[in-house]
Amino acid sequence: MQTADAIVIGAGIVGASCALALTNAGLKVLVLDRGPVAGGTTGAGEGNILVSDKDPGPELTLALRSRDLWFEMQADVGDSFELEAKGGIVVARLDDAPLKAFASKQRSAEVDAIEVGDKELHELEPHLTRDITSGILYPQDSQCQPMLAAAHVLQTVRQRGGEVVTGATVTSIKTVDGKVVGVETSKGSYSSPIVVNATGTWAGEIAQMAGSHLPIAPRKGFILVTAPAPKLIHHKVYDSDYVANVASSDADLQTSTVVEGTRAGTILIGASRERIGFDGRMNVDILRRLAAQATSLFPILRDIQLLRAYRGFRPYAPDHLPVIGEDALVSGLWHSAGHEGAGIGLAPGSAHLITQQITGVTPFMDSTPFSPRRFQVGVA
Amino acid sequence: MIAVIGAGPAGLSAAATAAERGEKVLLIDSSPRLGGQYWRHLPSNWNDDRSLHYDFSKAQALFDRVLTNPLITRHSNAHVWQAEKNDGVFTLFVVRDGVEEKVIADKVILATGAYDRSIPFPGWTLPGVMTPGAAQAMLKSHGVLVGKRVVVAGTGPFILPVAAGLADSGAEIVGLYEANNPIRWLLNLHGFILNPSKIAEALYYMKKLRKHRISIRFGKSVDSTSKGFATVNGKRVDCDVVAVGWGFVPDLSLAGILGAQLKVDGDGTVVVAVDSHQETSVPGLFAAGESTGIGGSTLSMIEGVIAAGGKGKFARWRAQVFARGLQRVYPVPTNWQAKLNDQTIICRCEEVTLGDICSSVDELGAENGRTAKLFTRAGMGLCQGRVCGRNVSEIVAAKRAEKVHDSERMGGAQRPTAGPISLGELGDGLQKKF
Ligand SMILES: Cc1cc2nc3c(=O)[nH]c(=O)nc-3n(C[C@H](O)[C@H](O)[C@H](O)COP(=O)(O)OP(=O)(O)OC[C@H]3O[C@@H](n4cnc5c(N)ncnc54)[C@H](O)[C@@H]3O)c2cc1C
Ligand SMILES: Cc1cc2nc3c(=O)[nH]c(=O)nc-3n(C[C@H](O)[C@H](O)[C@H](O)COP(=O)(O)OP(=O)(O)OC[C@H]3O[C@@H](n4cnc5c(N)ncnc54)[C@H](O)[C@@H]3O)c2cc1C
């Protein structure tokens, strides 16, 4: 296919979901990626689909809708990516008052947030330290295997007439009179009046190719993986500092624990947040902090062996909101990028929102807070 | 101070040489005793072990030099799990007898050796099927004979001592199968001419085999195994243990963590790149032994000496010629994939089959070993792809009628941690203010 109704750049979870939504809306879609499917941040994170960590506001509205769309996507594509409404539990180590206040705000925004006391908490998580006596249960929190999800979603796109070309690096965005007409890649050129930039952490580069700009930068994160163990942890369990970290702009290192067991028996412990560019080096101190926090929540993990650690670069925007919508300077160039540490969770919701905008359907929510315009017009 | 990691032939030579040149040396090894893979031995009776070791006197001499030199400190049961280099100084994080310690060194010599290469075939994950290295290790370090009726197969000179050692200890070798043809030895004639001692070594093992009436069957390999027998080139051979090995894979974890340049050897094996002094691309970081290329214990010892500042460049060249000759004589047959079927397990930790890997390529568009891993979990288990990683890459490449890229081979050899550490020990490091 040299011509498409829409070109999606990026075969991560955000690009894949977007390609499926556009295909289902009747467009002939071409997906391009310089690497393989899920070779970017989608293959270097975890699969949390969370509502528990979000303050009431546009991102939470998007997250709630997106969470339901994950299950719709599963019904559409097939049960092939380990989607599970596992539920999350947030606990506070010291003072649980802020946690309870946060939960009550969330409840008013239609989040299920159930206060659990000492006895129930330890029934839900028998190995949780006895020092913690209360928590909030978030039954909507879910998880998936994001690499499999991206692959199966793109497979469905192919079956429905779309095309996926991997190993094709986009090198320029072609425009005529400020309107997109196609892209140039290492594998040839393709034309289309619509180009969706779903290149995550690298979205700024694509914007620049079109003569526009987007301030998306990397925020590095480490995850620990343990050797397989019997089922010790039943939900996603977070320290409440996690919520504070997620929303922070502090460039310094932050770590706060999210502990969860996987189907394969390994336990994932995430995640640190640092803004130090694309610096891939291992940082032993971060691994120590993650381990110390996880073992203080679950002392039984002390004897479990570390299997490996890996890292990825979350795509983040200065205001920590994703960028979803048409470029203010180049018409026909759309962005769905900058989802930071929530790109898996927010992928189908973002796809839905951008497809409604592209096809001229009234969006299910006000999309202005996500508009790229906020970084492109009226800023010095 | 010089830290030498690994106490096999290369590490022992490096430690002895460096100490004799007046340097302070810390010799770190994860095993309880000196010797590495090759000179593995039982706790007490190294002296009664002679029969299991061809060059016993060389080993004994090295042990003596290391044990009696006051400049050498030894840490056994000590595993370097992580390493850093900052401001020209190396920091090694070592788990010794379960407790983590920090070691500071100005120079590090990696002598971390290699492990057996496995290639899957139907039945290779059954109990009783193992690598020759495992069979030999049971014997050398635990005095345990793995079975009564043993098939030894694969390729390379290493299967001969394993068969001889097992026979000496009372096992019946019901078959010794070398996949390659002896005519290929012509490819290494110059290696033998330059290294006549290798002829003596080969004859030593031949004589032992003859004594036990074991003959080598050439051009044959194990097709599959089932409980109680193996099928070799279509024929049933009754046995209770099958030991199959296809050469070695260097352990490059620490080299990779410290950022040393790796390279792909002629036969696809990834090794650490070193200069004529055995120094890697990271100044002050040296490598010797199997991690720089599979070459056997003689070459390992020479490299250890050079890495520690000693002489031996001509001897090294001679031994390298022999080692390269061996690569030509004993290639892994390219048809190994033809023996597999869709149900054959490729990744044993995660029980991923050939069928799973093929559908990740056909249906999900996996293009290389890494994506196949993300889609199937092959290589995500306990061994972290040490056993299956290379095989998965080669299966995916063959399916796509491509060759495995060097960058993928090198990426596959990188491991973010070089060994086990418990989460408790890891977290406690915060208090220790490492
Ligand atoms: C440690 C860590 C943990 C995380 N945990 C979670 C979690 O639990 N839940 C959650 O929701 N999110 C999580 N995230 C965040 C999540 O992984 C990301 O937000 C998400 O993967 C972004 O998806 P994407 O499709 O936008 O980007 P990517 O997956 O990075 O896809 C972008 C694609 O664009 C391609 N590309 C770039 N430039 C070009 C070009 N010029 N030409 C062609 N192609 C190009 C790249 O090759 C890449 O494949 C985590 C992230 C990290 C690092
Ligand atoms: C199982 C096996 C059996 C062999 N048998 C024979 C034989 O019979 N005849 C023959 O000619 N050749 C044999 N070889 C080949 C021979 O082992 C090598 O040529 C030789 O041992 C290489 O020496 P080396 O010093 O490079 O490594 P090794 O002898 O492998 O020594 C490496 C040492 O480093 C230690 N180590 C590795 N990583 C770490 C770490 N992170 N921290 C601390 N310590 C670490 C290991 O525990 C090991 O003791 C065998 C190889 C293997 C794998």
Side-chain angles (χ1 to χ4, degrees):
Chain A
M1 188 192 333
Q2 299 299 312
T3 308
D5 296 337
I7 290 174
V8 176
I9 313 173
I13 191 61
V14 171
S17 311
C18 192
L20 181 64
L22 289 168
T23 301
N24 288 348
L27 277 71
K28 207 164 158 52
V29 179
L30 168 69
V31 180
L32 299 171
D33 200 296
R34 62 181 172 197
V37 169
T41 313
T42 299
E46 290 178 274
N48 295 319
I49 298 167
L50 303 189
V51 298
S52 55
D53 62 343
K54 293 173 185 72
D55 250 321
E59 198 188 0
L60 180 58
T61 310
L62 182 63
L64 280 163
R65 184 82 180 97
S66 197
R67 185 254 177 216
D68 292 344
L69 284 168
W70 262 107
F71 287 86
E72 287 177 28
M73 198 153 80
Q74 181 192 36
D76 186 19
V77 167
D79 181 7
S80 50
F81 42 79
E82 303 177 12
L83 183 65
E84 190 185 347
K86 193 175 192 184
I89 298 176
V90 182
V91 296
R93 236 176 262 269
L94 303 167
D95 174 15
D96 65 1
L99 192 62
K100 287 182 171 159
F102 188 65
S104 103
K105 267 201 303 183
Q106 286 177 313
R107 269 193 294 272
S108 65
E110 286 169 58
V111 174
D112 293 342
I114 305 160
E115 279 183 29
V116 287
D118 197 8
K119 182 159 169 291
E120 203 187 336
L121 181 64
H122 291 97
E123 276 165 17
L124 291 169
E125 289 298 342
H127 295 293
L128 185 70
T129 172
R130 290 278 153 186
D131 299 347
I132 293 177
T133 54
S134 75
I136 313 283
L137 173 66
Y138 291 90
Q140 288 161 312
D141 278 1
S142 305
Q143 78 174 39
C144 70
Q145 208 281 31
M147 297 81 91
L148 278 179
H152 281 279
V153 166
L154 286 174
Q155 179 62 3
T156 306
V157 168
R158 279 193 210 96
Q159 283 159 359
R160 294 180 186 168
E163 198 177 329
V164 181
V165 180
T166 51
T169 305
V170 173
T171 50
S172 77
I173 309 285
K174 292 185 285 186
T175 56
V176 172
D177 300 335
K179 280 199 176 81
V180 164
V181 294
V183 303
E184 202 82 62
T185 79
S186 54
K187 281 195 172 171
S189 54
Y190 299 90
S191 54
S192 172
I194 295 168
V195 170
V196 182
N197 173 16
T199 56
T201 317
W202 302 275
E205 296 171 17
I206 298 287
Q208 202 168 12
M209 285 177 203
S212 182
H213 59 96
L214 270 188
I216 307 289
R219 197 174 188 196
K220 181 171 166 181
F222 276 105
I223 291 175
L224 307 187
V225 187
T226 71
K231 198 165 172 69
L232 301 172
I233 294 157
H234 302 266
H235 302 77
K236 297 166 178 301
V237 180
Y238 338 93
D239 210 326
S240 55
D241 314 341
Y242 177 74
V243 180
N245 268 356
V246 170
S248 162
S249 290
D250 196 341
D252 286 352
L253 165 69
Q254 302 161 335
T255 52
S256 55
T257 354
V258 188
V259 186
E260 72 170 308
T262 65
R263 283 200 195 171
T266 51
I267 294 163
L268 299 185
I269 300 165
S272 56
R273 288 161 188 276
E274 271 174 295
R275 294 188 291 151
I276 52 171
F278 286 106
D279 177 346
R281 275 175 303 178
M282 179 63 70
N283 182 329
V284 184
D285 255 4
I286 295 184
L287 308 191
R288 293 191 195 288
R289 283 165 71 160
L290 289 169
Q293 290 173 349
T295 52
S296 78
L297 281 183
F298 290 98
I300 194 168
L301 296 181
R302 280 193 62 86
D303 293 327
I304 306 272
Q305 303 286 324
L306 173 71
L307 191 58
R308 61 186 285 240
Y310 64 92
R311 51 116 184 93
F313 297 97
R314 305 176 186 86
Y316 87 95
D319 58 3
H320 301 282
L321 283 181
V323 178
I324 307 166
E326 191 170 20
D327 195 280
L329 309 174
V330 183
S331 98
L333 176 63
W334 296 75
H335 303 286
S336 184
H339 293 79
E340 197 161 345
I344 311 301
L346 298 178
S350 309
H352 188 47
L353 191 60
I354 205 166
T355 300
Q356 287 180 322
Q357 291 177 264
I358 289 175
T359 56
V361 175
T362 312
F364 73 89
M365 68 179 285
D366 175 16
S367 61
T368 353
F370 306 129
S371 169
R373 178 171 288 272
R374 68 189 195 271
F375 302 120
Q376 297 172 333
V377 177
V379 281
Chain B
M1 201 231 351
I2 300 183
V4 177
I5 308 173
L12 289 169
S13 303
T17 307
E20 284 154 16
R21 292 168 63 89
E23 308 266 10
K24 272 178 80 175
V25 176
L26 176 64
L27 178 59
I28 307 171
D29 194 283
S30 43
S31 320
R33 292 176 291 282
L34 299 180
Q37 309 264 20
Y38 184 37
W39 294 327
R40 240 178 231 289
H41 56 281
L42 292 169
S44 50
N45 59 347
W46 171 232
N47 269 302
D48 309 336
D49 254 8
R50 276 169 196 277
S51 66
L52 287 175
H53 295 92
Y54 167 70
D55 48 5
F56 174 80
S57 57
K58 268 190 210 154
Q60 187 62 63
L62 258 181
F63 287 7
D64 290 344
R65 279 164 68 198
V66 167
L67 292 171
T68 55
N69 197 313
L71 288 173
I72 301 177
T73 310
R74 285 184 300 124
H75 285 181
S76 329
N77 288 319
H79 205 102
V80 182
W81 80 273
Q82 193 58 256
E84 291 172 352
K85 187 187 179 197
N86 296 310
D87 306 326
V89 181
F90 294 90
T91 306
L92 307 177
F93 298 99
V94 189
V95 180
R96 178 153 68 120
D97 294 317
V99 179
E100 193 186 7
E101 308 170 336
K102 184 165 100 169
V103 168
I104 305 285
D106 318 304
K107 172 172 170 175
V108 172
I109 300 177
L110 296 175
T112 47
Y115 54 91
D116 294 88
R117 177 165 178 211
S118 291
I119 286 185
F121 54 84
W124 73 291
T125 57
L126 293 175
V129 183
M130 60 188 72
T131 62
Q136 198 187 50
M138 288 297 277
L139 196 61
K140 283 186 175 175
S141 58
H142 302 287
V144 172
L145 195 56
V146 287
K148 290 205 181 72
R149 296 166 57 76
V150 184
V151 163
V152 178
T155 194
F158 174 48
I159 63 176
L160 306 184
V162 171
L166 291 171
D168 274 345
S169 310
E172 182 190 348
I173 304 298
V174 293
L176 173 57
Y177 305 102
E178 163 58 58
N180 285 296
N181 211 288
I183 192 89
R184 296 187 70 91
W185 270 105
L186 295 174
L187 296 170
N188 197 22
L189 275 186
H190 54 304
F192 272 109
I193 293 166
L194 282 168
N195 297 270
S197 67
K198 289 289 168 187
I199 302 181
E201 186 173 349
L203 289 176
Y204 167 86
Y205 289 119
M206 294 305 222
K207 210 169 103 197
K208 274 198 171 202
L209 293 172
R210 207 171 320 119
K211 190 182 101 198
H212 294 289
R213 299 178 187 286
I214 303 166
S215 48
I216 311 174
R217 309 285 163 79
F218 291 97
K220 290 188 192 308
S221 60
V222 175
D223 305 326
S224 64
T225 52
S226 303
K227 195 174 165 18
F229 68 94
T231 308
V232 179
N233 282 40
K235 283 223 183 72
R236 178 181 165 125
V237 180
D238 290 321
C239 57
D240 50 21
V241 165
V242 180
V244 196
W246 299 101
F248 298 100
V249 185
D251 183 336
L252 305 176
S253 324
L254 286 172
I257 288 171
L258 285 166
Q261 181 72 49
L262 306 180
K263 67 172 193 191
V264 181
D265 230 0
D267 63 348
T269 306
V270 183
V271 301
V272 193
V274 288
D275 67 9
S276 65
H277 307 285
Q278 301 292 131
E279 191 163 9
T280 69
S281 65
V282 177
L285 179 66
F286 293 70
E290 307 295 43
S291 50
T292 66
I294 303 302
S297 59
T298 310
L299 178 59
S300 297
M301 283 187 276
I302 301 168
E303 291 182 354
V305 171
I306 297 175
K311 290 197 166 60
K313 287 189 183 150
F314 176 70
R316 181 179 58 191
W317 171 77
R318 230 171 34 182
Q320 278 171 339
V321 169
F322 187 77
R324 276 196 295 267
L326 285 188
Q327 275 186 14
R328 283 193 294 274
V329 176
Y330 295 116
V332 171
T334 47
N335 69 346
W336 62 269
Q337 294 188 31
K339 295 186 177 178
L340 311 176
N341 60 54
D342 272 1
Q343 282 76 49
T344 311
I345 287 181
I346 306 298
C347 162
R348 62 192 306 167
C349 302
E350 296 288 325
E351 300 190 347
V352 180
T353 64
L354 178 68
D356 297 332
I357 292 174
C358 291
S359 58
S360 81
V361 176
D362 293 334
E363 281 155 39
L364 301 180
E367 295 176 22
N368 53 29
R370 177 172 183 259
T371 5
K373 163 178 157 177
L374 294 179
F375 295 160
T376 63
R377 298 193 56 80
M380 288 200 189
L382 210 50
C383 90
Q384 288 290 295
R386 282 177 177 81
V387 176
C388 70
R390 180 171 175 183
N391 300 331
V392 172
S393 295
E394 292 186 0
I395 289 169
V396 173
K399 248 197 108 52
R400 296 170 46 86
E402 289 173 352
K403 285 215 153 51
V404 181
H405 284 287
D406 280 1
S407 60
E408 179 178 348
R409 289 196 189 276
M410 290 190 279
Q414 308 261 6
R415 303 257 145 25
T417 57
I421 181 167
S422 70
L423 291 184
E425 213 33 58
L426 179 60
D428 288 351
L430 280 182
Q431 266 80 51
K432 294 185 198 162
K433 298 218 172 60
F434 277 146

